[in-house]
Amino acid sequence: REVARGVSSTLDAAHAIAAVDAMSALLRHSDSDPPSPPLQPPAPLSFEHTRPFLHAWFEREAEQREVARDELHRLSGWSYLSTAEFRSLVADAVHRLNPPIRDGAFVYELGIGAGAVLKTISSLHRIRPAGCDFSPKAIQRASEIFPAHAAAFRVGDIALPLSSKGGCAARAGAYSHVLSFGSLAMYLTHSEMAVALRNVAKLASAGGSVAVTHFIEADGEPKGTIVAPISRQRLRQLASAAGLTNISFHPMKYQGDRFMMTARGPRVDKSGWAGGPSPHTLPPRPTR
């Protein structure tokens, strides 16, 4: 509740609190819980309020130093899930990647938050993580969690082209696995999703695997603070136009009607930079 009080005065704080509290209540139950009476889902926050609200929310949560490293999901809007549920949710999503994550893989996440997803994956595989987020304090926290890879985490907006001012500067084609756990699907308009999916396709190595989670269709529940519900057909069109292949859709644990998308990166190898210095030490590319 303190999060909503810190939002710009243009935001209806009471509405923000109600939306988050109601969404948490809707999603709190695991698959094994007994059924409970259905709750009325909150109306999504209006788009013009979403960015200020989310920025203030994640900036404040990233500052919570009492949160243990195995509970980082509490700093990125997933506090309605227990640690075990969150780990199970991430593991189930990652299990759907094809090709799967192997030890030593380069893994990039758009909308990294405090690093909860990558931290969970790193407990399953020895990875070389990287990512971006529009919250500077979240990036600072993720860098503390992965000090050896701190240079690979950057402040950037996933809805901007990679090489544009304010975008997620990263090397094109450098990542065998590219993820967005909630951010792309929940907080962007369709036109912004199109840009972000092009970023995903550019970041992925040739034939690399992609997972984007937490989409919902117009008649699905709970919508919570999702900005733009999208049909599977429309999402497939956007993903295909971005250059992704082998597109599939899957249900998600503990998430009601929300679903995720897996795909493969473009088959064409990409060279050069998508913007900014490389976050990892990679062999130099020949110059012309």
Side-chain angles (χ1 to χ4, degrees):
R1 294 172 183 271
E2 287 299 319
V3 172
R5 295 191 184 101
V7 181
S8 166
S9 60
T10 61
L11 175 62
D12 180 351
H15 178 68
I17 292 172
V20 174
D21 287 350
M23 179 177 66
S24 297
L26 278 167
L27 298 175
R28 190 175 295 122
H29 303 288
S30 69
D31 292 343
S32 59
D33 288 334
S36 57
L39 300 175
Q40 180 65 32
L45 296 176
S46 60
F47 175 66
E48 62 269 34
H49 288 160
T50 301
R51 289 298 179 88
F53 170 67
L54 292 173
H55 190 273
W57 180 10
F58 294 138
E59 286 278 277
R60 283 174 177 267
E61 290 201 336
E63 291 183 311
Q64 296 181 30
R65 293 293 166 177
E66 71 278 9
V67 174
R69 290 196 171 199
D70 63 350
E71 296 183 330
L72 290 174
H73 66 286
R74 292 172 52 193
L75 304 182
S76 297
W78 309 110
S79 57
Y80 61 85
L81 294 171
S82 69
T83 299
E85 287 171 336
F86 182 77
R87 287 177 59 86
S88 178
L89 175 65
V90 173
D92 183 68
V94 169
H95 178 71
R96 299 181 186 278
L97 287 170
N98 181 29
I101 295 178
R102 306 291 188 191
D103 285 351
F106 290 94
V107 181
Y108 193 97
E109 183 181 8
L110 292 97
I112 188 178
V117 171
L118 291 179
K119 180 64 175 175
T120 299
I121 296 173
S122 71
S123 70
L124 304 172
H125 305 281
R126 183 178 56 83
I127 62 171
R128 287 176 278 192
C132 71
D133 197 279
F134 75 158
S135 166
K137 291 180 181 177
I139 288 295
Q140 179 182 351
R141 193 64 181 273
S143 299
E144 294 169 0
I145 299 301
F146 296 99
H149 302 279
F153 302 119
R154 303 178 184 277
V155 177
D157 192 331
I158 67 174
L160 295 176
L162 291 177
S163 58
S164 67
K165 181 179 180 180
C168 298
R171 186 172 181 169
Y175 301 93
S176 48
H177 311 282
V178 181
L179 317 172
S180 183
F181 208 83
S183 297
L184 190 158
M186 295 184 70
Y187 306 130
L188 304 184
T189 64
H190 289 186
S191 60
E192 290 177 319
M193 286 182 193
V195 175
L197 288 169
R198 287 196 292 271
N199 291 340
V200 168
K202 288 180 180 179
L203 289 166
S205 59
S209 58
V210 167
V212 185
T213 70
H214 291 82
F215 294 101
I216 198 164
E217 299 220 16
D219 59 352
E221 296 296 349
K223 294 183 179 66
T225 54
I226 290 178
V227 170
I230 188 169
S231 69
R232 287 167 172 80
Q233 179 182 6
R234 177 58 176 155
L235 178 56
R236 184 182 296 276
Q237 292 171 344
L238 295 181
S240 296
L244 297 174
T245 63
N246 296 78
I247 299 163
S248 299
F249 303 115
H250 315 273
M252 299 187 67
K253 300 179 73 171
Y254 316 121
Q255 297 298 299
D257 294 328
R258 296 176 180 182
F259 65 95
M260 64 175 287
M261 178 189 77
T262 57
R264 299 284 295 274
R267 296 186 177 90
V268 179
D269 190 19
K270 298 173 287 293
S271 62
W273 300 92
S278 172
H280 298 292
T281 300
L282 296 174
R285 294 182 181 271
T287 57
R288 295 181 177 178

